[in-house]
């Protein structure tokens, strides 16, 4: 039996656009994801989040299921355009009411709410003014954060400013696969900086609000390994790590950007992005915890023809999930040890970990997601190893509570521990992985 520390928190995570639906109800404004999904060709099968899991109308049933699983905590995100349809200015009371009802329900069920302020659904009205490339958006984000602290400060004890600024900036503005769909490297760098800036501003506001809770940020991190031990591959590893991980970790914890990568950008563009004096001090304000999303590792080799000198390679003879992401639990241990050594002794939460598989309803009406069960068990063990080695790991949220709209992949990829039968009135079925989690939570440990 593997035991977890006494106060360890078990949870599951979701995000507003991926589950809520009700995209134009009760005064909600348009988000960049509404705009992006409504343009044909951006998403598999032209799926949209218009209805998603209809969680907006079914949240009571969903909280019931969380209770059945026994969750200590639930991580969800707030749709900024529900609160401020135009991104700033007039508050939409019905948006606030929705989250009040949800939080109420959670508290009554004894589940600790953890709210992400930004999980990618920027009000379209702000995108029309340049979105995150516009420094003013950081100011508006801070105003929105203050409204949320004021309304929910005594109800929500854990706050995450941003989810995965790397994905927001790079996948949305460099690779063009996510909203708003640009492919402009300098735009992407500016967006990354402004996101981080807004994080720091919202941390300051949190402190000023005097709320008795925790504030942090969630970064998607993947431990990077060189393909071989050659000097070149080591260099490739260094660049990839700087691009994926340190570009966000270093400003938040060390008030600086990675130098080698910065000079590479500077060689390419005179001024890669606009930054004002004092920004890094704002960005690096103390946080109460670090949230990390871990799915897989990266293996890279040196490639001169690549702008950043590295290329990712896919190892053979290993397992991949439906996302084509390698199953590599050791990477979670390595990552946690590294964070503990190089970045922070503050509590770390795994704010997302999980896997997509092609789940089916079996003849017995159940969903036997054996592969996800194995994936989770192996990652729980990897987390436990890090704890034993001294990492201050405080909790673990599974991605995701339920199958949902998986961004560019639409409903094709299922990450849930609860199955959503989209074809059959959105019936919810607890998968075997949900039962595993139920058992793990009950024992605060794992049988093997
Ligand atoms: C992360 C996102 C989350 C989900 C998982 C699979 O990048 O934060 O919304 O899509 O990946």
């Amino acid at each position: 039996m593997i035991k977890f520390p006494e106060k360890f928190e078990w949870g599951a995570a979701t995000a507003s656009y991926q589950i809520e639906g009700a995209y134009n109800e009760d005064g909600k404004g348009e988000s960049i994801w509404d705009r992006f999904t409504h343009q044909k060709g951006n998403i598999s099968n032209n799926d949209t989040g218009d209805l998603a899991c209809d969680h907006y109308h079914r949240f009571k049933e969903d909280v019931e299921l969380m209770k059945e699983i026994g969750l200590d905590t639930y991580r969800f995100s707030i749709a900024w355009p529900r609160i401020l349809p135009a991104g700033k200015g007039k508050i939409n009371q019905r948006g606030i009411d929705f989250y009040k009802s949800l939080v109420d329900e959670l508290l009554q069920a004894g589940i600790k709410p953890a709210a992400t302020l930004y999980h990618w659904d920027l009000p379209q009205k702000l995108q029309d003014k340049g979105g995150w490339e516009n420094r003013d958006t950081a100011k508006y984000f801070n105003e929105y954060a203050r409204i949320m602290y004021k309304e929910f400060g005594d109800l929500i004890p854990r706050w995450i400013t941003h989810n995965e600024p790397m994905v927001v900036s790079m996948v949305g503005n460099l690779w063009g696969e996510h909203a708003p769909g640009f492919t402009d490297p300098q735009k992407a760098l500016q967006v990354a900086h402004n996101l981080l800036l807004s994080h720091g501003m919202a941390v300051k506001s949190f402190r000023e609000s005097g709320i008795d809770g925790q504030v942090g940020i969630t970064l998607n991190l993947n431990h990077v390994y060189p393909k071989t031990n050659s000097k070149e591959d080591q260099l490739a590893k260094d660049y990839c790590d700087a691009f994926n991980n340190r570009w966000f970790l270093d400003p938040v914890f060390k008030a600086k950007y990675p130098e080698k990568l910065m000079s590479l950008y500077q060689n390419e563009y005179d001024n890669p992005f606009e930054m004002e004096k004092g920004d890094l001090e704002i960005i690096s304000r103390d946080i109460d915890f670090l949230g990390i999303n871990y799915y897989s590792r990266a293996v890279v080799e040196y490639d001169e023809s690549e702008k950043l000198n590295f290329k990712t390679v896919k190892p053979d003879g290993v397992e991949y999930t439906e996302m084509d992401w390698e199953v590599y639990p050791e990477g979670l241990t390595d990552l946690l040890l590294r964070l503990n050594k190089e970045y922070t002794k503050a509590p770390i939460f795994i704010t997302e970990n999980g896997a997509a598989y092609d789940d089916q309803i079996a003849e017995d009406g159940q969903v036997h997601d054996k592969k996800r069960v194995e994936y989770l068990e192996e990652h729980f063990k990897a987390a436990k190893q890090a704890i034993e080695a001294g990492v201050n790991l405080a909790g673990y949220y599974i991605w995701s509570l339920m199958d949902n709209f998986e961004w560019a992949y639409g409903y094709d990829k299922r990450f849930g521990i609860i199955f959503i039968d989209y074809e059959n009135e959105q019936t919810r079925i607890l998968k075997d992985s949900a039962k595993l989690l139920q058992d793990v939570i009950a024992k605060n440990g794992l049988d093997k």
Side-chain angles (χ1 to χ4, degrees), residues 89-159:
K90 196 162 178 293
I91 298 176
N92 175 38
Q93 186 57 39
R94 284 176 295 174
I96 296 200
D97 292 346
F98 167 67
Y99 293 106
K100 282 252 158 92
S101 314
L102 170 65
V103 167
D104 234 39
E105 207 67 20
L106 289 167
L107 293 172
Q108 272 179 40
I111 299 167
K112 184 190 277 191
T116 308
L117 285 167
Y118 188 75
H119 202 129
W120 310 355
D121 37 5
L122 184 74
Q124 178 63 39
K125 282 266 189 315
L126 294 185
Q127 187 61 51
D128 297 342
K129 298 190 182 74
W132 285 108
E133 197 188 354
N134 178 353
R135 197 177 162 96
D136 286 344
T137 300
K139 191 175 82 191
Y140 301 137
F141 174 76
N142 188 31
E143 286 167 11
Y144 152 61
R146 281 165 175 271
I147 295 168
M148 296 311 293
Y149 300 154
K150 184 161 159 265
E151 293 282 345
F152 291 88
D154 53 345
L155 300 171
I156 300 179
R158 183 168 300 138
W159 296 81

Side-chain angles (χ1 to χ4, degrees), residues 132-268:
W132 285 108
E133 197 188 354
N134 178 353
R135 197 177 162 96
D136 286 344
T137 300
K139 191 175 82 191
Y140 301 137
F141 174 76
N142 188 31
E143 286 167 11
Y144 152 61
R146 281 165 175 271
I147 295 168
M148 296 311 293
Y149 300 154
K150 184 161 159 265
E151 293 282 345
F152 291 88
D154 53 345
L155 300 171
I156 300 179
R158 183 168 300 138
W159 296 81
I160 295 163
T161 54
H162 279 282
N163 179 68
E164 304 190 344
M166 184 273 178
V167 173
V168 176
S169 50
M170 299 304 157
V171 186
N173 296 274
L174 175 64
W175 302 336
E177 292 158 17
H178 283 182
F182 296 117
T183 50
D184 175 339
Q186 279 187 278
K187 203 190 272 283
L189 289 172
Q190 191 64 61
V191 166
H193 182 73
N194 291 345
L195 286 166
L196 290 171
L197 179 68
S198 76
H199 154 76
M201 291 164 76
V203 169
K204 178 163 184 259
S205 296
F206 188 83
R207 301 290 177 231
E208 286 168 359
S209 74
I211 298 176
D212 179 25
Q214 304 167 295
V215 66
I217 188 169
T218 280
L219 303 177
N220 55 302
L221 304 172
N222 58 351
H223 211 65
V224 187
Y225 301 81
K227 185 177 171 202
T228 71
N229 280 327
S230 72
K231 254 199 177 146
E232 286 80 12
D233 285 354
Q234 293 285 351
L235 187 67
K237 181 207 127 167
D238 197 42
Y239 275 115
C240 178
D241 182 44
F243 179 80
N244 284 0
N245 303 321
R246 280 187 283 123
W247 199 258
F248 302 89
L249 281 167
D250 287 8
V252 168
F253 289 103
K254 302 182 174 174
K256 61 177 193 189
Y257 280 107
E259 278 154 32
K260 239 196 273 172
L261 184 54
M262 184 63 107
S263 38
L264 204 142
Y265 287 139
Q266 279 161 344
N267 287 340
E268 179 112 9

